[in-house]
Amino acid sequence: MKNVNIIIAIVILSFSITFCKKTNSSTAVTPVDTVIPVVPTPEKDITNSSAVDYYGPLKVAGNRITGKADSAVQLRGMSFFWSQWMGKYYNTNVVKWLKDDWYCNVVRAAMAVEEGGYLTNPDMEKQKVLDVVDAAIANGVYVIIDWHDHHASDHLQQSAKFFVEMAKKYGDKPNVIYEPFNEPLQVSWKSIVKPYDQTIIDSIRKYDPDNLIICGTPTWSQDVDIAATDTLVGSNIAYTLHFYSGTHKQSLRDKAKAALDKGIALLVTEYGTTDATGNGVVNQDETSLWYKFLDTNKISWCNWSIADKNESSAALYAGTPEMGNWANNQLTTSGYFVRQEMKSKNLRFK
Ligand code: MG
């Protein structure tokens, strides 16, 4: 009888294990809702150098951004989300994770200005930027200090004060790139955006003669062709181009090409794989066309965004930990797709 009982117990146990496995697999988190190809090994691992050591101080040469070897440098990385809403990811662990696991060589601190941002809480929002900049310096990656504002020309005094402070603090660090005007609205380049950009350039240049300044252009930083006909004065000045693949396609690439042909350098400080709303379908085909264009023209980019907001441009699913160390099934379709692009094309640094 004993043996029979043991056999029955084993049968029941086996059935339970089988059943439980099925139950677990049916309730498990789906990794990503897209086909996941194998990530190719990068061409070269640079294990004895950081990205900033390797490329050096950036400068503008014609319509390209170049490093210490005077050859064009193309950076690929991630933008953080509005600091007042996603400040939880503005920390050194995330910057290090983005470098180590995503092969990011640039990050963008998107310091909110309105809607509870810097104008309301200057010290708190600035501290988030400092945390990311210090982490970027410690990890040898480039960092864009973004005045994330649609009405920056209405906040000229505050912006100039902020950028002077940043230039005094970080002007000797080759990591730092300034972005004084995220996305101007549909306003005049000549009478509104350009005078603002020039004032901030001149303010920064009193304390930092050389770090890159990437200037916003009208129509949510799409009118680079207009800026190219009436350029800013100064050295190491480039212009911001923003796109969202579901909305902005060949006609915007044509505008960008026209700007390049007129001789200005561009940097995509922000783009999304989705509609311009930040939501909608992740358009991998159109984003791939953009990647081809950006690679051909050696244009650096940051993807929008490191956030766990429930919208398709966010790279992380809701509740993804604040300290990095993310599993693949915590990355959204967009997050996984963009990370794969970086892992397959960026060099891996120490
Ligand atoms: Mg400098």
Side-chain angles (χ1 to χ4, degrees), residues 52-332:
V52 172
D53 288 341
Y54 185 79
Y55 295 118
L58 302 175
K59 51 191 182 293
V60 172
N63 62 4
R64 293 287 188 265
I65 289 166
T66 62
K68 63 185 176 189
D70 287 332
S71 56
V73 173
Q74 185 187 15
L75 306 174
R76 299 180 187 88
M78 291 301 296
S79 176
F80 289 89
F81 193 82
W82 298 78
S83 60
Q84 86 279 44
W85 291 316
M86 282 289 162
K88 63 183 181 180
Y89 293 117
Y90 281 61
N91 63 68
T92 190
N93 298 65
V94 167
V95 172
K96 185 172 182 348
W97 182 253
L98 289 172
K99 182 204 70 173
D100 290 342
D101 187 66
W102 292 47
Y103 299 4
C104 280
N105 48 33
V106 58
V107 293
R108 176 182 189 237
M111 188 185 73
V113 175
E114 298 183 308
E115 302 186 72
Y118 180 85
L119 298 180
T120 314
N121 300 304
D123 292 339
M124 191 165 80
E125 296 312 308
K126 185 174 68 188
Q127 188 57 49
K128 293 171 189 169
V129 174
L130 301 184
D131 290 347
V132 167
V133 174
D134 290 341
I137 292 168
N139 284 283
V141 299
Y142 295 92
V143 56
I144 299 171
I145 299 176
D146 163 32
W147 182 265
H148 204 75
D149 190 356
H150 293 297
H151 308 100
S153 51
D154 296 337
H155 313 128
L156 178 63
Q157 200 185 348
Q158 296 94 328
S159 174
K161 177 174 175 280
F162 172 78
F163 280 105
V164 161
E165 203 177 331
M166 294 300 106
K168 283 180 173 172
K169 189 171 174 63
Y170 294 120
D172 62 343
K173 299 288 187 293
N175 311 68
V176 170
I177 299 168
Y178 309 98
E179 184 184 4
F181 200 155
N182 164 51
E183 285 184 352
L185 301 178
Q186 290 170 294
V187 294
S188 163
W189 166 250
K190 193 174 189 60
S191 64
I192 295 180
V193 182
K194 187 186 175 197
Y196 167 88
D197 284 342
Q198 192 66 60
T199 302
I200 302 300
I201 289 168
D202 296 344
S203 304
I204 290 171
R205 286 291 179 253
K206 284 179 193 160
Y207 302 96
D208 177 359
D210 49 13
N211 283 40
L212 281 188
I213 305 174
I214 315 294
C215 294
T217 53
T219 318
W220 300 275
S221 288
Q222 293 169 52
D223 290 345
V224 288
D225 52 335
I226 294 172
T229 63
D230 182 14
T231 56
L232 294 155
V233 176
S235 59
N236 296 336
I237 307 298
Y239 297 80
T240 315
L241 173 71
H242 286 187
F243 68 85
Y244 280 77
S245 300
T247 306
H248 309 117
K249 303 181 180 183
Q250 189 58 46
S251 61
L252 185 55
R253 289 192 286 277
D254 292 343
K255 277 164 74 75
K257 184 67 168 59
L260 292 168
D261 289 346
K262 285 198 160 60
I264 65 170
L266 305 178
L267 198 150
V268 173
T269 57
E270 174 184 324
Y271 77 92
T273 61
T274 62
D275 296 346
T277 57
N279 224 329
V281 174
V282 174
N283 193 329
Q284 299 190 11
D285 290 345
E286 193 66 31
T287 305
S288 295
L289 292 177
W290 272 106
Y291 286 152
K292 194 175 171 198
F293 175 81
L294 299 171
D295 290 352
T296 300
N297 293 290
K298 294 285 184 191
I299 297 174
S300 301
W301 55 253
C302 283
N303 173 252
W304 183 264
S305 67
I306 292 297
D308 68 345
K309 187 181 174 185
N310 185 23
E311 65 179 19
S312 51
S313 61
L316 309 171
Y317 281 123
T320 296
E322 300 171 14
M323 292 293 172
N325 204 24
W326 303 319
N328 285 353
N329 65 9
Q330 292 172 319
L331 310 183
T332 61

Side-chain angles (χ1 to χ4, degrees), residues 78 271 273 291 301 303 334-342:
M78 291 301 296
Y271 77 92
T273 61
Y291 286 152
W301 55 253
N303 173 252
S334 184
Y336 193 90
F337 177 72
V338 171
R339 172 172 169 268
Q340 183 181 308
E341 176 72 6
M342 283 187 273

